[in-house]
Amino acid sequence: MAERDNEHWQVADLTIDVGGRSVVRGDQAIILPKLSFKFLLALVHASPDVLSADELMERVWTGIFVNSETVTQRAKLLRDALSDDPKEPRYFTVRRGVGYQLIPAPIRIDPSDNAASNPAHVRNGRWMLVLAAIALGAASIGGIAAMKVWPFDARSAMPASIRVAVLPFDNLSSDPADEFIARSIPEMVLNRLSSMPGLLVISRESALLSSAASASPKDAGAQLKAGYVVRGSVQRIAGMLRVTCFVVDTAQGARLWSERFDWPIDRLYALQDRIADRVASSLEARTRGLGELAPATIAPRNTDAYLAYLKGKSLLGRFTVAQTDSAAAQFERAVKLDPEFAPALVALFDARMQGADLRKDDLGPTREHYQPLLDKALRLDPGSGEAMFAKAMWSGSPQAERLALFRRAAELDPSNSRGLAAFAEFFEWDNVTRDGGPGGEGQRLMDRVLSIDPLSPRARFWAVQRQLGQLTPEQLEREQARALQVDPENYLLANRYAYRRWMFHGETAEAIEMMEKVIASDPQNPLGPQLAFAFYLDVDDPAAARAIAATTPATRDSSRTLLAQFAGDWRGAGLAALGHRGFLFNKYSNWNWAEAVRDLALQTKEYDQAAGAIASHYGFDLRNPRTTNLPQATVAPALGHILLAAGQREQGTRLLTQTVQWIDGHPRYGLVGVRRLRATAMMLLGERDQALSDLRASIETGHDIRHWWYIIDRDPVWAPVRNDPRFKAITEMCRNAASVQRAKLDALRRAGKVPARHELTNS
């Protein structure tokens, strides 16, 4: 059955309003995320039939690759939201091996008939809406025990009917230089509208910087899932502005409101408030209960300062070093023009910290230098959510204090997609769940970010990456490719896609070609060279590896570990790994870090230092070390080896055995990477035949030839079997694969598609 906005259903004690995307039980509004609502509605439409997992995938996740585990988890989330006991379900049941089935018979309601014949029903309906609004308000103020992210779940579930996108205005001036005015007015209107509690406003990165900006209102609404679109035009005539603005109902294709303003250019900020008020009034007439606009903002004293601030904000969200530096230059100009302009002070602090973070500089000195900017902004505007988010993002405080800062910032500025994305990443890295994925709060935060900023580069990257372990490696790679088609210049996605071509396919030359293009787009960003230098070592080109590692200060430091290993220098590798700059990148990209620490310990007998370093970075309890997530699995064999060498055989054996069990229990991570880890653990447990079988499968079937030169010649784990014919066969496979990739790289160089990096060392 096709979903219609005027559908209303009664399912036992649940009242479902499809148009309003709401579920009410008695006086209680039940807030369901979009996918949970679609899941419930699919069961209603199918009743009394059973829906298989495949059918649910098609109806709920249309056009998206998911698996049966995703369906299972969504069913659990829906059951939790409905407070439905799985042992004695009231609303839907799971028929093992068959599918899902609604239990009560759904009853289709015609609200217009009831309202016409029963005035009391109208009054009750209004009270129900009031109670639902109260419930949402309570969630925003006091929190609901079942939902940790109380400010976001309600808005994340908002239907398109109360989502609005403010698109760029057309510049009708004779001077093209006036384009910045046409961009600044919708930016200001967008910021003001986002203060309405009952309205979800698509963020500037998606609404103003995407292809939707030039699409028709109807197409833009479809692309951004917005029920309303605000558009207009601007013409500058001497010191006056002529601004025409209108609001379009994207479903009906009809204008709700339009107006022309003739306005002095030096009162641009008052015009922002006037247009926002008019837009809000037109939406309120169609969608009740939106709430009030926040009080008019205090405008900066200098128009050029505000415009510089806007230009900087458009650059900051791309998360590249070059654009971050350009953004900082714009913010510095804004602060110079208006030293009391609090948002510009916050943004300058934020940009300088982001630039240092992207470069992998020490954040302490940078924070100390620019902290006065943030302190001044907070004195000028103590209630600034943007300032509070910046403080939470870049604070060096303990995690509990940062969490409190993030929560307060989210209360003050619930539509700040940049801040919310940082909040979600805080949970991703610092509150990892047992299966290696982000916790429920982090997932809901990122859902919220994607609902208001679907085209944000950072959000798109995390939307794909958080599916690690849920999708197969092949499905995840397809999702990355699809996201790159939407945003080919997404630095993080392009970086990760090249990584997977190397890791999962052994296509090192192809990965180098991709990474060289990525590096050229942002030469000062160390993330690209950090990958590329490892790629070059795997095609046996150490000169090119050293040349590209030297391109940024961070990679000059971080590359020392792997380059020393390649040269056979275990001491240099271990000391570099344990040094101040030895662990600069994430837990997956500090190449052979744990192995370097272990090799040093095996030679020097300083086991406690090595075990402590691994435990500190990866969250092991050395009293009872256990593998509970993927990052820990990547280093558990090295830690287990150290424990065995230190005479702690019981602990080491238990950790290695449990790591094998964890790997076997998480098949979604695929053959690559984890099979090699399993092989190492089995070798240390004395299971040589199984270890060699796993290692061969990883290389031959999984095409996993990462750091092959270390395995075949330097890794002490494999020393006892280096003369075994089976290991010699694996060695030959690795050498042949590397030779093929080197030949491909040389061909790419001759074609001018890859620079001759080895020549740079002689210049």
Side-chain angles (χ1 to χ4, degrees), residues 46-82:
S47 180
D49 294 337
V50 178
L51 278 183
S52 68
D54 288 341
E55 289 172 321
L56 278 164
M57 290 179 207
E58 182 177 349
R59 298 188 188 195
V60 179
W61 290 271
T62 307
I64 301 175
F65 291 102
V66 297
N67 53 55
S68 57
E69 180 61 25
T70 303
V71 178
T72 301
Q73 290 301 316
R74 181 55 55 181
K76 184 179 183 300
L77 290 172
L78 175 59
R79 197 181 293 285
D80 290 344
L82 297 177

Side-chain angles (χ1 to χ4, degrees), residues 662-684:
W662 188 92
I663 290 171
D664 292 344
H666 293 77
R668 279 286 170 182
Y669 291 118
L671 181 68
V672 178
V674 293
R675 182 58 67 92
R676 184 191 292 186
L677 296 169
R678 190 182 194 280
T680 303
M682 295 302 291
M683 187 68 187
L684 291 169

Side-chain angles (χ1 to χ4, degrees), residues 691-702:
L692 287 167
S693 176
D694 284 343
L695 183 62
R696 180 169 184 135
S698 176
I699 292 170
E700 184 177 35
T701 307

Side-chain angles (χ1 to χ4, degrees), residues 383-429:
S384 168
E386 187 174 24
M388 196 63 69
F389 266 126
K391 187 174 182 179
M393 289 162 62
W394 303 117
S395 171
S397 303
Q399 299 299 73
E401 292 182 24
R402 290 186 65 203
L403 177 60
L405 288 170
F406 270 122
R407 293 200 189 283
R408 178 58 179 154
E411 288 182 52
L412 294 169
D413 195 357
S415 292
N416 188 322
S417 63
R418 174 178 171 78
L420 296 178
F423 194 3
E425 290 181 28
F426 171 82
F427 281 102
E428 168 69 21
W429 293 114

Side-chain angles (χ1 to χ4, degrees), residues 318 455-461 483-484 487-495 518:
R318 297 303 302 178
L455 301 180
S456 159
R458 196 82 168 190
R460 292 311 312 161
F461 171 75
L484 274 172
D487 184 7
E489 296 181 1
N490 190 316
Y491 187 93
L492 288 171
L493 271 173
N495 195 297
V518 172

